[in-house]
Amino acid sequence: MNLCLFDLDHTLLPLDSDHEFGEFLVRVGLADPVTHRARNDAFYQQYVDGTLVLDDYIAFTTSVWRDLDPEEQRALQDRFMDDVIRPALKPQALELVRQHQGKGDLVAIVTATNEFVTQPIAQAFGVPDLIAVKLVRDAQGRVTGEIDGVPSFREGKITRVDDWLAQRGLSFGDFERVSFYSDSPNDLPLLYRATDPVATNPSPALEAEAQARGWRLLYLFS
């Protein structure tokens, strides 16, 4: 068995689901179109620049919906999937996942986007194993706006993958090949750990690093 890990945003999806969810909250009238959009854009630029403080972003992005009742939250997820994500699912990305699954690879999506946004997306890709930013919940099960444990972000992706494998009695060394597909230099720690790193729809910075190291380049989206 080989191991195949996928980043999500701008890797399997031609968009950033975190940022798009913020835009979606504005469009459906749950968030202020001026202040929320400005902060959402600023946080996204920090992510691109490599300066994002994830705790601050999670507190911000969950603040709009975390006090909704569970049924309203599920309806919000469903509408986001229908309005934004499903139209963005590309056959070539779905096929790439299917190819690895068809080879018998152990497949997981590893993303710095939180579990509330990404659980339905992973399901749409047919990937049962999702490693996303976990959210703290209080005794009543309500999201608090804090991160639960180590976030799957930068070096934290390695920690979370190690933990996920350990739960299965496995480690990186148990696989002959470890593939990791990503678009972002934020994922360089995990790309360095992979035996088959694939710079997928890469940013200019990651493309330069991939070319310097002889990594495979993959452009799923035009």
Side-chain angles (χ1 to χ4, degrees):
M1 183 189 298
N2 294 317
L3 176 64
C4 180
L5 307 172
F6 290 100
D7 177 47
L8 180 62
D9 299 316
H10 292 297
T11 299
L12 290 178
L13 290 173
L15 49 76
D16 185 282
S17 58
D18 240 351
H19 183 264
E20 288 296 327
F21 191 68
E23 285 289 308
F24 168 75
L25 292 173
V26 169
R27 289 197 300 275
V28 298
L30 288 176
D32 182 83
V34 177
T35 59
H36 189 87
R37 178 170 285 139
R39 291 196 69 195
N40 194 45
D41 289 347
F43 277 120
Y44 180 67
Q45 188 59 51
Q46 290 168 15
Y47 172 79
V48 172
D49 294 341
T51 61
L52 178 65
V53 178
L54 192 60
D55 294 89
D56 294 343
Y57 176 67
I58 290 296
F60 160 75
T61 193
T62 61
S63 64
V64 177
W65 57 264
R66 64 185 185 233
D67 290 331
L68 299 175
D69 66 44
E71 289 187 4
E72 291 174 319
Q73 291 183 14
R74 284 192 292 272
L76 197 65
Q77 288 174 308
D78 290 344
R79 184 170 175 185
F80 179 62
M81 288 295 298
D82 289 341
D83 290 0
V84 179
I85 298 301
R86 294 192 196 283
L89 296 175
K90 301 299 183 183
Q92 58 269 38
L94 292 163
E95 178 58 25
L96 178 62
V97 174
R98 300 290 182 272
Q99 286 175 2
H100 281 279
Q101 291 173 325
K103 294 175 183 176
D105 294 355
L106 179 59
V107 174
I109 291 173
V110 189
T111 176
T113 300
N114 71 77
E115 59 188 355
F116 180 80
V117 172
T118 55
Q119 281 175 342
I121 302 175
Q123 292 170 4
F125 274 98
V127 177
D129 289 296
L130 170 68
I131 301 171
V133 172
K134 296 173 66 177
L135 303 174
V136 172
R137 294 178 181 272
D138 64 18
Q140 288 72 45
R142 295 175 300 205
V143 169
T144 67
E146 298 170 300
I147 295 172
D148 184 0
V150 176
S152 45
F153 183 45
R154 298 186 185 136
E155 293 83 358
K157 285 195 174 185
I158 295 176
T159 301
R160 292 287 306 282
V161 171
D162 280 338
D163 291 345
W164 169 68
L165 289 174
Q167 291 170 6
R168 294 170 168 264
L170 298 168
S171 68
F172 272 94
D174 293 318
F175 301 94
E176 181 178 352
R177 297 178 62 184
V178 177
S179 302
F180 180 40
Y181 293 79
S182 176
D183 72 293
S184 172
N186 283 302
D187 285 337
L188 281 172
L190 187 51
L191 285 162
Y192 293 148
R193 285 286 300 273
T195 62
D196 295 347
V198 185
T200 310
N201 319 311
S203 70
L206 182 59
E207 184 175 31
E209 179 74 4
Q211 289 175 335
R213 291 179 173 269
W215 293 348
R216 183 156 67 99
L217 296 167
L218 176 64
Y219 301 92
L220 283 177
F221 314 121
S222 58

